[in-house]
């Protein structure tokens, strides 16, 4: 049994609640446990994962957040750089499922966050679990 850390950038409470519910359900269904920590924004998620990984307490990570396009270039920076940071750590062997939604509007985010619809939180957890299994297989 493994332990996963869900790292959430809580900005849209109702959307994050759905994403976390999906992630927790997938982790529990697979027979694992999880904890959750909150960071200020999506850009801080990779740093929090890197800090948590130094503890050796976790086998995998699930990144949760919502970035909705606004009127400025900030959306592209947050979406791209948070994904880049997560990808870099997965290339170093960390098992991370990326559940940071990047949408045009709240309606798109609701469909993706809702466990009864696209369940992107659950999918991110399943991705982390799959990477954990591959890491164990290739160890």
């Amino acid at each position: 049994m493994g332990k996963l850390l869900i790292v959430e950038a809580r900005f849209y409470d109702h959307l994050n609640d759905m994403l976390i519910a999906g992630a927790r359900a997938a982790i529990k269904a697979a027979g694992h446990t999880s904890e959750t920590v909150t960071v200020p924004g999506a850009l801080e998620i990779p740093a929090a994962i890197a800090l948590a990984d130094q503890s050796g307490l976790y086998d995998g990570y699930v990144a949760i957040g919502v970035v909705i396009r606004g009127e400025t270039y900030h959306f592209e920076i947050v979406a791209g750089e948070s994904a880049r940071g997560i990808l870099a750590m997965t290339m170093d062997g960390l098992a991370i499922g990326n559940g940071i939604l990047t949408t045009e509007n709240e309606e798109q985010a609701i469909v993706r966050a809702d466990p009864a619809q696209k369940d992107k939180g659950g999918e991110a957890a399943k991705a982390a679990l799959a990477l954990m299994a591959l890491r164990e297989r290739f160890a």
Side-chain angles (χ1 to χ4, degrees):
M1 178 166 81
K3 186 172 187 180
L4 289 89
L5 180 66
I6 299 169
V7 180
E8 69 154 337
R10 181 162 284 271
F11 191 79
Y12 300 98
D13 290 344
H14 62 298
L15 298 171
N16 274 42
D17 288 345
M18 288 190 283
L19 287 165
I20 290 171
R24 286 181 178 157
I27 292 165
K28 184 177 181 181
H32 301 282
T33 63
S34 66
E35 291 182 14
T36 304
V37 296
T38 302
V39 296
L43 288 174
E44 288 76 37
I45 291 174
I49 292 171
L51 291 169
D53 195 58
Q54 292 175 10
S55 73
L57 296 174
Y58 304 100
D59 301 297
Y61 304 90
V62 183
I64 296 290
V66 180
V67 183
I68 297 176
R69 183 179 299 277
E71 297 177 3
T72 68
Y73 185 68
H74 186 67
F75 170 87
E76 284 83 4
I77 292 170
V78 172
E81 292 302 312
S82 61
R84 185 192 61 75
I86 290 168
L87 180 61
M89 287 186 288
T90 62
M91 299 298 286
D92 288 337
L94 273 67
I96 306 171
N98 187 348
I100 302 174
L101 302 182
T102 53
T103 65
E104 296 292 325
N105 54 55
E106 185 174 353
E107 293 76 28
Q108 290 177 350
I110 290 169
V111 170
R112 286 158 179 76
D114 186 352
Q117 296 184 58
K118 295 204 177 222
D119 192 21
K120 295 299 182 179
E123 286 184 12
K126 290 174 185 175
L129 293 166
L131 290 171
M132 287 167 51
L134 279 175
R135 184 178 58 212
E136 186 175 313
R137 176 181 171 191
F138 296 134

